[in-house]
Structures are given as structure tokens and as C-alpha cells.
Amino acid sequence: GQQVMQIPQYQHVQEGEDFTTYCNSSTTLSNIQWYKQRPGGHPVFLIQLVKSGEVKKQKRLTFQFGEAKKNSSLHITATQTTDVGTYFCAGLGNQGAQKLVFGQGTRLTINP
Amino acid sequence: EPEVTQTPSHQVTQMGQEVILRCVPISNHLYFYWYRQILGQKVEFLVSFYNNEISEKSEIFDDQFSVERPDGSNFTLKIRSTKLEDSAMYFCASRWEASTDTQYFGPGTRLTVL
């Protein structure tokens, strides 16, 4: 079945440093979604990418979807302590697919 | 902003007991989901529900699990005979219509099986 791999599993940075997490799917995705989960919280939707090669920005966050629609990345510029949490990518397979297949997540911790 | 709500926030049960986890999806949404997250692990799909029937389920969703939409607002997950390995955070999610729509997650129910 479809698998989504995400690296790194953990990332610790100094406040102000950049952070990137990468996501790879075993199959082509119809779209990919990114979620943030704070410790003890629930996944909160950040963004969705649909088109091949798509790049979207949200303030300091940049999201990319690969040309082959099998990989994606999230880059945070100049991290702040509020960025702490686990970032998950989640892919939808075929058009009309129901289930989101989540990556393992990247847990970001920040030294102030 | 509309939210998915879940009750209870924490459920403790003895192994072998039945539990029902409750969710109230966002009111105009048509698709409903249950996911679970074992502590420290990734979120895993359990089941999707549309038009009063299961549309897709994972291998985790065996005969011990069932879902129901008993009225126009609630969406429930029942585990008939809980096992220790069922201990996890269970998230309900809903989306409006198109498969590209966002799935909105509830705050989760932490299930602890003793």
C-alpha cells in the first residue's frame, strides 16, 4: 500500500535558524497536505498542495510539491519558539481517495 | 470558526470492555473519518464514512471496531472488546465534499486501556 516517509524524525535548532522537513511518497499523490501538531494537541491543517511543482508561502513557511507529485518539503525561515511542534505531511492517493496517509512527522524543538 | 468536537477528552477502561468515542463533525460536512495516533507515532487512518456507510477502512479497523452516525450530528466509534494495544489518541475528522477539501481534525480522545 501507499507509504509516506518523512525525514528527519527530529530536528533541534537555535531560534533564528532555518528548518526543513522532507516528505516522500511511494506512489504519485493527487495532493499533499501539511499539518502541525503541538505537544498534547491535535493535527492542525496548514496547507494543501495540488499541482505539480507548486510552491506556496505562508509568512516564514514555504511549501513545495515535487514535479512528479511524489515528494514535498516544508521550509521554515528564521524559526521562532512558537514554531515548536511536530510537522506531518499527509498524502491523498488517487483522485477521490478517502484516506490521508501520514508521514511519521518531524518533531521540531527550538533553543531560545 | 466551526470546529469538530470530541467527547470524552480522556477515557480509561479495562481490557475487554466496550468503549464508544463520540464526535460532532462540522455541520455541513459530508465525509467523516476516524484516525488514531499511538503515543509518539504517526497518525493512522482507521475508517472513512459517507452517506451512512463505510467508504474505506484500514487493516486496523477489524471486527472489533464499528462506526455509526446515529443522528444528524453525532459520529461514533465503538470498540467492542478493548485490548491494551488500543490505547491511543483517537481523532475524528470531517470534510465538506471534494476529495481535495481540507480534513478538519477534532481535539481527540485519549483512550487508555488497563
mmCIF file with all atom_site columns, all heavy atoms in Angstrom, chain B residues 35-52:
data_model
loop_
_atom_site.group_PDB
_atom_site.id
_atom_site.type_symbol
_atom_site.label_atom_id
_atom_site.label_alt_id
_atom_site.label_comp_id
_atom_site.label_asym_id
_atom_site.label_entity_id
_atom_site.label_seq_id
_atom_site.pdbx_PDB_ins_code
_atom_site.Cartn_x
_atom_site.Cartn_y
_atom_site.Cartn_z
_atom_site.occupancy
_atom_site.B_iso_or_equiv
_atom_site.pdbx_formal_charge
_atom_site.auth_seq_id
_atom_site.auth_comp_id
_atom_site.auth_asym_id
_atom_site.auth_atom_id
_atom_site.pdbx_PDB_model_num
ATOM 1   N N   . TYR B 1 35 ? -9.175  8.530  12.847 1.00 0.00 ? 35 TYR B N   1
ATOM 2   C CA  . TYR B 1 35 ? -7.754  8.233  12.810 1.00 0.00 ? 35 TYR B CA  1
ATOM 3   C C   . TYR B 1 35 ? -7.319  7.925  14.234 1.00 0.00 ? 35 TYR B C   1
ATOM 4   O O   . TYR B 1 35 ? -7.973  8.328  15.192 1.00 0.00 ? 35 TYR B O   1
ATOM 5   C CB  . TYR B 1 35 ? -6.948  9.447  12.309 1.00 0.00 ? 35 TYR B CB  1
ATOM 6   C CG  . TYR B 1 35 ? -7.145  9.803  10.859 1.00 0.00 ? 35 TYR B CG  1
ATOM 7   C CD1 . TYR B 1 35 ? -8.228  10.585 10.459 1.00 0.00 ? 35 TYR B CD1 1
ATOM 8   C CD2 . TYR B 1 35 ? -6.239  9.389  9.889  1.00 0.00 ? 35 TYR B CD2 1
ATOM 9   C CE1 . TYR B 1 35 ? -8.404  10.939 9.125  1.00 0.00 ? 35 TYR B CE1 1
ATOM 10  C CE2 . TYR B 1 35 ? -6.402  9.738  8.552  1.00 0.00 ? 35 TYR B CE2 1
ATOM 11  C CZ  . TYR B 1 35 ? -7.485  10.512 8.183  1.00 0.00 ? 35 TYR B CZ  1
ATOM 12  O OH  . TYR B 1 35 ? -7.653  10.863 6.862  1.00 0.00 ? 35 TYR B OH  1
ATOM 13  N N   . ARG B 1 36 ? -6.198  7.251  14.352 1.00 0.00 ? 36 ARG B N   1
ATOM 14  C CA  . ARG B 1 36 ? -5.643  7.072  15.685 1.00 0.00 ? 36 ARG B CA  1
ATOM 15  C C   . ARG B 1 36 ? -4.147  7.368  15.662 1.00 0.00 ? 36 ARG B C   1
ATOM 16  O O   . ARG B 1 36 ? -3.494  7.302  14.622 1.00 0.00 ? 36 ARG B O   1
ATOM 17  C CB  . ARG B 1 36 ? -5.890  5.664  16.216 1.00 0.00 ? 36 ARG B CB  1
ATOM 18  C CG  . ARG B 1 36 ? -4.924  4.622  15.707 1.00 0.00 ? 36 ARG B CG  1
ATOM 19  C CD  . ARG B 1 36 ? -5.068  3.315  16.422 1.00 0.00 ? 36 ARG B CD  1
ATOM 20  N NE  . ARG B 1 36 ? -4.028  2.396  15.953 1.00 0.00 ? 36 ARG B NE  1
ATOM 21  C CZ  . ARG B 1 36 ? -3.999  1.110  16.245 1.00 0.00 ? 36 ARG B CZ  1
ATOM 22  N NH1 . ARG B 1 36 ? -4.956  0.579  17.004 1.00 0.00 ? 36 ARG B NH1 1
ATOM 23  N NH2 . ARG B 1 36 ? -3.028  0.346  15.806 1.00 0.00 ? 36 ARG B NH2 1
ATOM 24  N N   . GLN B 1 37 ? -3.633  7.712  16.843 1.00 0.00 ? 37 GLN B N   1
ATOM 25  C CA  . GLN B 1 37 ? -2.216  8.022  16.972 1.00 0.00 ? 37 GLN B CA  1
ATOM 26  C C   . GLN B 1 37 ? -1.727  7.409  18.276 1.00 0.00 ? 37 GLN B C   1
ATOM 27  O O   . GLN B 1 37 ? -2.077  7.893  19.363 1.00 0.00 ? 37 GLN B O   1
ATOM 28  C CB  . GLN B 1 37 ? -1.978  9.531  16.956 1.00 0.00 ? 37 GLN B CB  1
ATOM 29  C CG  . GLN B 1 37 ? -0.518  9.922  16.962 1.00 0.00 ? 37 GLN B CG  1
ATOM 30  C CD  . GLN B 1 37 ? -0.333  11.428 16.913 1.00 0.00 ? 37 GLN B CD  1
ATOM 31  O OE1 . GLN B 1 37 ? -1.152  12.192 17.406 1.00 0.00 ? 37 GLN B OE1 1
ATOM 32  N NE2 . GLN B 1 37 ? 0.764   11.873 16.291 1.00 0.00 ? 37 GLN B NE2 1
ATOM 33  N N   . ILE B 1 38 ? -0.972  6.343  18.145 1.00 0.00 ? 38 ILE B N   1
ATOM 34  C CA  . ILE B 1 38 ? -0.324  5.770  19.318 1.00 0.00 ? 38 ILE B CA  1
ATOM 35  C C   . ILE B 1 38 ? 0.759   6.743  19.761 1.00 0.00 ? 38 ILE B C   1
ATOM 36  O O   . ILE B 1 38 ? 1.413   7.386  18.928 1.00 0.00 ? 38 ILE B O   1
ATOM 37  C CB  . ILE B 1 38 ? 0.245   4.385  18.991 1.00 0.00 ? 38 ILE B CB  1
ATOM 38  C CG1 . ILE B 1 38 ? -0.912  3.426  18.676 1.00 0.00 ? 38 ILE B CG1 1
ATOM 39  C CG2 . ILE B 1 38 ? 1.092   3.844  20.136 1.00 0.00 ? 38 ILE B CG2 1
ATOM 40  C CD1 . ILE B 1 38 ? -0.495  2.091  18.118 1.00 0.00 ? 38 ILE B CD1 1
ATOM 41  N N   . LEU B 1 39 ? 0.941   6.858  21.057 1.00 0.00 ? 39 LEU B N   1
ATOM 42  C CA  . LEU B 1 39 ? 1.837   7.853  21.627 1.00 0.00 ? 39 LEU B CA  1
ATOM 43  C C   . LEU B 1 39 ? 3.200   7.855  20.956 1.00 0.00 ? 39 LEU B C   1
ATOM 44  O O   . LEU B 1 39 ? 3.864   6.819  20.867 1.00 0.00 ? 39 LEU B O   1
ATOM 45  C CB  . LEU B 1 39 ? 1.997   7.602  23.127 1.00 0.00 ? 39 LEU B CB  1
ATOM 46  C CG  . LEU B 1 39 ? 2.794   8.647  23.902 1.00 0.00 ? 39 LEU B CG  1
ATOM 47  C CD1 . LEU B 1 39 ? 2.087   9.996  23.865 1.00 0.00 ? 39 LEU B CD1 1
ATOM 48  C CD2 . LEU B 1 39 ? 3.010   8.192  25.342 1.00 0.00 ? 39 LEU B CD2 1
ATOM 49  N N   . GLY B 1 40 ? 3.583   9.011  20.438 1.00 0.00 ? 40 GLY B N   1
ATOM 50  C CA  . GLY B 1 40 ? 4.894   9.166  19.819 1.00 0.00 ? 40 GLY B CA  1
ATOM 51  C C   . GLY B 1 40 ? 4.987   8.676  18.391 1.00 0.00 ? 40 GLY B C   1
ATOM 52  O O   . GLY B 1 40 ? 6.067   8.734  17.798 1.00 0.00 ? 40 GLY B O   1
ATOM 53  N N   . GLN B 1 41 ? 3.862   8.193  17.851 1.00 0.00 ? 41 GLN B N   1
ATOM 54  C CA  . GLN B 1 41 ? 3.894   7.655  16.490 1.00 0.00 ? 41 GLN B CA  1
ATOM 55  C C   . GLN B 1 41 ? 3.067   8.526  15.550 1.00 0.00 ? 41 GLN B C   1
ATOM 56  O O   . GLN B 1 41 ? 2.519   9.548  15.935 1.00 0.00 ? 41 GLN B O   1
ATOM 57  C CB  . GLN B 1 41 ? 3.397   6.214  16.495 1.00 0.00 ? 41 GLN B CB  1
ATOM 58  C CG  . GLN B 1 41 ? 4.266   5.292  17.338 1.00 0.00 ? 41 GLN B CG  1
ATOM 59  C CD  . GLN B 1 41 ? 3.864   3.838  17.204 1.00 0.00 ? 41 GLN B CD  1
ATOM 60  O OE1 . GLN B 1 41 ? 3.214   3.439  16.242 1.00 0.00 ? 41 GLN B OE1 1
ATOM 61  N NE2 . GLN B 1 41 ? 4.268   3.040  18.187 1.00 0.00 ? 41 GLN B NE2 1
ATOM 62  N N   . LYS B 1 42 ? 2.995   8.092  14.301 1.00 0.00 ? 42 LYS B N   1
ATOM 63  C CA  . LYS B 1 42 ? 2.277   8.895  13.317 1.00 0.00 ? 42 LYS B CA  1
ATOM 64  C C   . LYS B 1 42 ? 0.776   8.658  13.408 1.00 0.00 ? 42 LYS B C   1
ATOM 65  O O   . LYS B 1 42 ? 0.304   7.730  14.052 1.00 0.00 ? 42 LYS B O   1
ATOM 66  C CB  . LYS B 1 42 ? 2.768   8.563  11.912 1.00 0.00 ? 42 LYS B CB  1
ATOM 67  C CG  . LYS B 1 42 ? 2.452   7.158  11.449 1.00 0.00 ? 42 LYS B CG  1
ATOM 68  C CD  . LYS B 1 42 ? 2.943   6.937  10.047 1.00 0.00 ? 42 LYS B CD  1
ATOM 69  C CE  . LYS B 1 42 ? 2.673   5.523  9.579  1.00 0.00 ? 42 LYS B CE  1
ATOM 70  N NZ  . LYS B 1 42 ? 3.155   5.296  8.197  1.00 0.00 ? 42 LYS B NZ  1
ATOM 71  N N   . VAL B 1 43 ? 0.053   9.524  12.764 1.00 0.00 ? 43 VAL B N   1
ATOM 72  C CA  . VAL B 1 43 ? -1.395  9.407  12.692 1.00 0.00 ? 43 VAL B CA  1
ATOM 73  C C   . VAL B 1 43 ? -1.744  8.336  11.655 1.00 0.00 ? 43 VAL B C   1
ATOM 74  O O   . VAL B 1 43 ? -1.222  8.344  10.539 1.00 0.00 ? 43 VAL B O   1
ATOM 75  C CB  . VAL B 1 43 ? -2.018  10.757 12.291 1.00 0.00 ? 43 VAL B CB  1
ATOM 76  C CG1 . VAL B 1 43 ? -3.523  10.645 12.156 1.00 0.00 ? 43 VAL B CG1 1
ATOM 77  C CG2 . VAL B 1 43 ? -1.647  11.831 13.312 1.00 0.00 ? 43 VAL B CG2 1
ATOM 78  N N   . GLU B 1 44 ? -2.647  7.421  12.029 1.00 0.00 ? 44 GLU B N   1
ATOM 79  C CA  . GLU B 1 44 ? -3.009  6.315  11.143 1.00 0.00 ? 44 GLU B CA  1
ATOM 80  C C   . GLU B 1 44 ? -4.504  6.361  10.829 1.00 0.00 ? 44 GLU B C   1
ATOM 81  O O   . GLU B 1 44 ? -5.324  6.516  11.737 1.00 0.00 ? 44 GLU B O   1
ATOM 82  C CB  . GLU B 1 44 ? -2.713  4.969  11.809 1.00 0.00 ? 44 GLU B CB  1
ATOM 83  C CG  . GLU B 1 44 ? -1.273  4.741  12.172 1.00 0.00 ? 44 GLU B CG  1
ATOM 84  C CD  . GLU B 1 44 ? -1.109  3.438  12.938 1.00 0.00 ? 44 GLU B CD  1
ATOM 85  O OE1 . GLU B 1 44 ? -1.542  3.381  14.105 1.00 0.00 ? 44 GLU B OE1 1
ATOM 86  O OE2 . GLU B 1 44 ? -0.549  2.476  12.361 1.00 0.00 ? 44 GLU B OE2 1
ATOM 87  N N   . PHE B 1 45 ? -4.822  6.173  9.583  1.00 0.00 ? 45 PHE B N   1
ATOM 88  C CA  . PHE B 1 45 ? -6.209  6.130  9.141  1.00 0.00 ? 45 PHE B CA  1
ATOM 89  C C   . PHE B 1 45 ? -6.894  4.864  9.651  1.00 0.00 ? 45 PHE B C   1
ATOM 90  O O   . PHE B 1 45 ? -6.324  3.769  9.603  1.00 0.00 ? 45 PHE B O   1
ATOM 91  C CB  . PHE B 1 45 ? -6.237  6.169  7.618  1.00 0.00 ? 45 PHE B CB  1
ATOM 92  C CG  . PHE B 1 45 ? -7.564  5.867  6.988  1.00 0.00 ? 45 PHE B CG  1
ATOM 93  C CD1 . PHE B 1 45 ? -8.537  6.849  6.900  1.00 0.00 ? 45 PHE B CD1 1
ATOM 94  C CD2 . PHE B 1 45 ? -7.844  4.617  6.471  1.00 0.00 ? 45 PHE B CD2 1
ATOM 95  C CE1 . PHE B 1 45 ? -9.760  6.594  6.290  1.00 0.00 ? 45 PHE B CE1 1
ATOM 96  C CE2 . PHE B 1 45 ? -9.061  4.347  5.872  1.00 0.00 ? 45 PHE B CE2 1
ATOM 97  C CZ  . PHE B 1 45 ? -10.012 5.343  5.784  1.00 0.00 ? 45 PHE B CZ  1
ATOM 98  N N   . LEU B 1 46 ? -8.124  5.020  10.129 1.00 0.00 ? 46 LEU B N   1
ATOM 99  C CA  . LEU B 1 46 ? -8.925  3.864  10.521 1.00 0.00 ? 46 LEU B CA  1
ATOM 100 C C   . LEU B 1 46 ? -10.064 3.621  9.525  1.00 0.00 ? 46 LEU B C   1
ATOM 101 O O   . LEU B 1 46 ? -10.195 2.532  8.978  1.00 0.00 ? 46 LEU B O   1
ATOM 102 C CB  . LEU B 1 46 ? -9.526  4.074  11.918 1.00 0.00 ? 46 LEU B CB  1
ATOM 103 C CG  . LEU B 1 46 ? -8.571  4.079  13.099 1.00 0.00 ? 46 LEU B CG  1
ATOM 104 C CD1 . LEU B 1 46 ? -9.334  4.341  14.392 1.00 0.00 ? 46 LEU B CD1 1
ATOM 105 C CD2 . LEU B 1 46 ? -7.818  2.781  13.193 1.00 0.00 ? 46 LEU B CD2 1
ATOM 106 N N   . VAL B 1 47 ? -10.881 4.645  9.331  1.00 0.00 ? 47 VAL B N   1
ATOM 107 C CA  . VAL B 1 47 ? -12.101 4.442  8.560  1.00 0.00 ? 47 VAL B CA  1
ATOM 108 C C   . VAL B 1 47 ? -12.616 5.766  8.029  1.00 0.00 ? 47 VAL B C   1
ATOM 109 O O   . VAL B 1 47 ? -12.399 6.819  8.626  1.00 0.00 ? 47 VAL B O   1
ATOM 110 C CB  . VAL B 1 47 ? -13.163 3.753  9.449  1.00 0.00 ? 47 VAL B CB  1
ATOM 111 C CG1 . VAL B 1 47 ? -13.597 4.658  10.574 1.00 0.00 ? 47 VAL B CG1 1
ATOM 112 C CG2 . VAL B 1 47 ? -14.351 3.252  8.656  1.00 0.00 ? 47 VAL B CG2 1
ATOM 113 N N   . SER B 1 48 ? -13.278 5.682  6.866  1.00 0.00 ? 48 SER B N   1
ATOM 114 C CA  . SER B 1 48 ? -13.997 6.842  6.348  1.00 0.00 ? 48 SER B CA  1
ATOM 115 C C   . SER B 1 48 ? -15.460 6.465  6.156  1.00 0.00 ? 48 SER B C   1
ATOM 116 O O   . SER B 1 48 ? -15.793 5.298  5.936  1.00 0.00 ? 48 SER B O   1
ATOM 117 C CB  . SER B 1 48 ? -13.390 7.322  5.034  1.00 0.00 ? 48 SER B CB  1
ATOM 118 O OG  . SER B 1 48 ? -13.444 6.312  4.064  1.00 0.00 ? 48 SER B OG  1
ATOM 119 N N   . PHE B 1 49 ? -16.320 7.454  6.239  1.00 0.00 ? 49 PHE B N   1
ATOM 120 C CA  . PHE B 1 49 ? -17.773 7.207  6.289  1.00 0.00 ? 49 PHE B CA  1
ATOM 121 C C   . PHE B 1 49 ? -18.454 8.276  5.466  1.00 0.00 ? 49 PHE B C   1
ATOM 122 O O   . PHE B 1 49 ? -18.202 9.480  5.633  1.00 0.00 ? 49 PHE B O   1
ATOM 123 C CB  . PHE B 1 49 ? -18.207 7.297  7.751  1.00 0.00 ? 49 PHE B CB  1
ATOM 124 C CG  . PHE B 1 49 ? -19.593 6.816  8.047  1.00 0.00 ? 49 PHE B CG  1
ATOM 125 C CD1 . PHE B 1 49 ? -19.838 5.472  8.264  1.00 0.00 ? 49 PHE B CD1 1
ATOM 126 C CD2 . PHE B 1 49 ? -20.650 7.708  8.148  1.00 0.00 ? 49 PHE B CD2 1
ATOM 127 C CE1 . PHE B 1 49 ? -21.107 5.020  8.576  1.00 0.00 ? 49 PHE B CE1 1
ATOM 128 C CE2 . PHE B 1 49 ? -21.926 7.273  8.456  1.00 0.00 ? 49 PHE B CE2 1
ATOM 129 C CZ  . PHE B 1 49 ? -22.147 5.925  8.678  1.00 0.00 ? 49 PHE B CZ  1
ATOM 130 N N   . TYR B 1 50 ? -19.322 7.836  4.567  1.00 0.00 ? 50 TYR B N   1
ATOM 131 C CA  . TYR B 1 50 ? -20.044 8.775  3.708  1.00 0.00 ? 50 TYR B CA  1
ATOM 132 C C   . TYR B 1 50 ? -21.398 8.194  3.370  1.00 0.00 ? 50 TYR B C   1
ATOM 133 O O   . TYR B 1 50 ? -21.530 6.995  3.100  1.00 0.00 ? 50 TYR B O   1
ATOM 134 C CB  . TYR B 1 50 ? -19.242 9.047  2.423  1.00 0.00 ? 50 TYR B CB  1
ATOM 135 C CG  . TYR B 1 50 ? -20.002 9.820  1.379  1.00 0.00 ? 50 TYR B CG  1
ATOM 136 C CD1 . TYR B 1 50 ? -20.280 11.167 1.567  1.00 0.00 ? 50 TYR B CD1 1
ATOM 137 C CD2 . TYR B 1 50 ? -20.459 9.206  0.209  1.00 0.00 ? 50 TYR B CD2 1
ATOM 138 C CE1 . TYR B 1 50 ? -20.989 11.883 0.615  1.00 0.00 ? 50 TYR B CE1 1
ATOM 139 C CE2 . TYR B 1 50 ? -21.165 9.918  -0.740 1.00 0.00 ? 50 TYR B CE2 1
ATOM 140 C CZ  . TYR B 1 50 ? -21.430 11.265 -0.526 1.00 0.00 ? 50 TYR B CZ  1
ATOM 141 O OH  . TYR B 1 50 ? -22.127 11.979 -1.467 1.00 0.00 ? 50 TYR B OH  1
ATOM 142 N N   . ASN B 1 51 ? -22.394 9.015  3.401  1.00 0.00 ? 51 ASN B N   1
ATOM 143 C CA  . ASN B 1 51 ? -23.743 8.586  3.001  1.00 0.00 ? 51 ASN B CA  1
ATOM 144 C C   . ASN B 1 51 ? -24.196 7.377  3.810  1.00 0.00 ? 51 ASN B C   1
ATOM 145 O O   . ASN B 1 51 ? -24.768 6.423  3.268  1.00 0.00 ? 51 ASN B O   1
ATOM 146 C CB  . ASN B 1 51 ? -23.754 8.289  1.496  1.00 0.00 ? 51 ASN B CB  1
ATOM 147 C CG  . ASN B 1 51 ? -25.146 8.315  0.926  1.00 0.00 ? 51 ASN B CG  1
ATOM 148 O OD1 . ASN B 1 51 ? -26.031 9.003  1.436  1.00 0.00 ? 51 ASN B OD1 1
ATOM 149 N ND2 . ASN B 1 51 ? -25.347 7.566  -0.146 1.00 0.00 ? 51 ASN B ND2 1
ATOM 150 N N   . ASN B 1 52 ? -23.896 7.441  5.092  1.00 0.00 ? 52 ASN B N   1
ATOM 151 C CA  . ASN B 1 52 ? -24.329 6.421  6.048  1.00 0.00 ? 52 ASN B CA  1
ATOM 152 C C   . ASN B 1 52 ? -23.718 5.048  5.838  1.00 0.00 ? 52 ASN B C   1
ATOM 153 O O   . ASN B 1 52 ? -24.310 4.039  6.242  1.00 0.00 ? 52 ASN B O   1
ATOM 154 C CB  . ASN B 1 52 ? -25.859 6.299  6.069  1.00 0.00 ? 52 ASN B CB  1
ATOM 155 C CG  . ASN B 1 52 ? -26.487 7.399  6.893  1.00 0.00 ? 52 ASN B CG  1
ATOM 156 O OD1 . ASN B 1 52 ? -25.976 7.744  7.969  1.00 0.00 ? 52 ASN B OD1 1
ATOM 157 N ND2 . ASN B 1 52 ? -27.554 7.965  6.393  1.00 0.00 ? 52 ASN B ND2 1
#
